[in-house]
Amino acid sequence: MGLRTVRTTLAALAAAALAGAALLAPPSASAAPPRPAAADGHHRTQAAMDAAAGAGVPGVLVRARDTRGAWWNSSGVADIRTERAPTAPDRFRAGSISKTFVATVVLQLAAEGRLSIDDTVEKWLPGVVRGNGNDGRKVTLRQLLNHTSGIFEYTGDPAAHGRGMEYLKHRYDSWKPPQLVALAMKHEPYFAPGTDWAYANTNYVLAAMTVERVTGNPYETEMRRRILEPLGLRATVPPGTDSAMPAPAGRAYTAFPDDPDRRIHDVTEFDPSLFWADGDLVTSAGDLDRFYTALLRGELLPPAQMKEMTTAHPLPGDGPFTGYGLGLARYRTSCGTELWGHNGSVPGTQAMAFATRDAEHLLVTYFNTNVFMLTSRADDILDAEFC
């Protein structure tokens, strides 16, 4: 539910589904009346959005902010049936953008002296990371937050039912966090802690469980108290097991590689507890703007913790993601602009939120499908805005 190198079942599903991407045909010309062309420097961004919609993304929503102020626009449709256009206040599932929220809460606790990010997982969650070569005594909270723990990706276990059409039969299954970790513990780690990098949602389930153990409160309570309420993020909610999307919201679509009829599936509603803490947040583009602006400008963390958060482990390959800190990814555009933020994907959703380090220039983009997660369509929009 995040970086292009994520080793999750759903990422593999999205990659395989690309063969069926043509099924997500562009909406009819009457679906969304043309909006006025951007007169404030976002022409190329709009063109990249239109190109994504023309390539088959049902709907694209973008919010950008720079020294000239905030701008938003859309392309395509939020709902294939009604053909309504995406609107600025629309809510959507954030996917792995949720991880930045988790890391922020953990680092706030570190700033308060209530934990150290170099504590072992065993200290706070004794006996939880054990078996099949897993050992919580050798894994630190830092390694959870920067994905160097080596712990297996729980959605990769067959019992998560994330592969193909079987997902539809299990989309309303409810999960508890210990059950998610238990799926990962059935597997050997990818590598010894601290010796390599592999994106795993299990890391952030464990990090949020640690928040609960340290504070004695549900993770959601701490996030609300520490982030959502102080920043006034009224559109952002941890959904728990609620499968419905709060209004206003469009629909979310996906395609499955093992669907013999090659259909578009509406997957707007599902029980999000499968993605607890690591990818379950519902939010809006405006709220993500406010959150990342506050975070990068030091409103949520002291300088020492911000330095830890932005100390990035180098990522393999030559893609735009060049490093991963503690819940923050470092991204480089084609013209060399360095950005910080996160991306995310759950069934039917792809989102990105990235900004310059000083938060003077920011972009949030949302697709109402995850089929294009491993293509350059979202990257093209970032390049258009920042280059």
Side-chain angles (χ1 to χ4, degrees):
M1 294 162 311
L3 299 179
R4 183 166 289 102
T5 45
V6 60
R7 300 186 187 188
T8 69
T9 301
L10 292 175
L13 180 156
L18 291 176
L23 288 175
L24 300 176
S28 65
S30 62
R35 296 175 57 83
D40 47 4
H42 302 284
H43 291 87
R44 294 182 69 243
T45 304
Q46 184 66 55
M49 294 161 59
D50 293 342
V57 179
V60 181
L61 175 65
V62 162
R63 176 185 172 91
R65 182 184 44 73
D66 57 22
T67 55
R68 293 163 294 193
W71 171 87
W72 80 272
N73 215 332
S74 67
S75 192
V77 297
D79 186 324
I80 291 174
R81 183 180 59 84
T82 66
E83 296 193 332
R84 86 157 174 88
T87 63
D90 277 359
R91 289 169 160 182
F92 51 85
R93 300 187 190 275
S96 283
I97 291 172
S98 307
K99 291 180 173 62
T100 312
F101 289 76
V102 176
T104 299
V105 173
V106 172
L107 288 167
Q108 286 179 343
L109 291 170
E112 295 164 9
R114 301 177 69 178
L115 59 76
S116 166
I117 59 173
D118 293 314
D119 288 342
T120 65
V121 174
E122 182 73 11
K123 176 178 179 178
W124 297 108
L125 303 173
V128 172
V129 177
R130 288 291 175 87
N132 293 308
N134 295 286
D135 189 346
R137 296 169 298 182
K138 299 178 180 179
V139 178
T140 67
L141 301 182
R142 182 192 301 273
Q143 290 166 344
L144 295 180
L145 295 179
N146 69 6
H147 295 294
T148 60
S149 72
I151 294 173
F152 185 81
E153 167 51 57
Y154 71 84
T155 65
D157 186 272
H161 302 295
R163 295 185 182 277
M165 292 285 286
E166 70 171 310
Y167 170 75
L168 296 176
K169 299 177 182 179
H170 294 276
R171 62 197 283 192
Y172 296 109
D173 292 355
S174 288
W175 294 83
K176 299 292 186 183
Q179 293 176 306
L180 302 177
V181 175
L183 292 181
M185 294 301 102
K186 292 162 56 178
H187 302 266
E188 294 181 358
Y190 296 126
F191 48 78
T195 63
D196 203 345
W197 187 91
Y199 191 96
N201 292 295
T202 316
N203 291 321
Y204 276 74
V205 174
L206 289 164
M209 290 173 66
T210 300
V211 169
E212 297 193 331
R213 183 62 60 89
V214 172
T215 65
N217 295 320
Y219 163 70
E220 294 84 353
T221 298
E222 291 296 317
M223 180 178 56
R224 288 190 189 98
R225 182 175 71 83
R226 295 168 174 274
I227 301 176
L228 305 188
E229 292 172 1
L231 296 183
L233 305 185
R234 296 179 180 85
T236 302
V237 294
T241 58
D242 189 351
S243 61
M245 282 291 292
R251 308 300 295 175
Y253 305 98
T254 198
F256 296 102
D258 60 343
D259 181 356
D261 297 321
R262 315 287 282 179
R263 291 166 292 177
I264 304 169
H265 294 269
D266 185 323
V267 290
T268 308
E269 288 85 21
F270 59 83
D271 187 322
S273 60
L274 178 62
F275 310 115
W276 180 73
D278 62 76
D280 67 344
L281 274 187
V282 171
T283 190
S284 70
D287 272 16
L288 290 181
D289 181 345
R290 176 68 184 119
F291 169 66
Y292 278 103
T293 298
L295 178 65
L296 293 171
R297 289 181 177 172
E299 296 177 26
L300 294 173
L301 293 173
Q305 279 66 45
M306 278 307 302
K307 182 177 180 181
E308 296 279 16
M309 185 176 245
T310 54
T311 299
H313 186 283
L315 296 189
D318 57 358
F321 290 96
T322 63
Y324 197 95
L326 307 184
L328 272 184
R330 186 179 63 204
Y331 183 103
R332 181 166 289 113
T333 66
S334 63
C335 60
T337 303
E338 184 176 281
L339 305 174
W340 291 88
H342 217 290
N343 67 335
S345 182
V346 292
T349 295
Q350 176 182 349
M352 300 181 82
F354 282 92
T356 53
R357 180 60 185 83
D358 59 8
E360 288 297 309
H361 194 178
L362 172 143
L363 182 135
V364 178
T365 182
Y366 160 65
F367 292 176
N368 59 349
T369 181
N370 63 314
V371 170
F372 288 78
M373 187 173 71
L374 302 184
T375 75
S376 67
R377 290 299 176 181
D379 297 333
D380 292 344
I381 295 173
L382 280 173
D383 276 351
E385 178 65 27
F386 289 98
C387 295

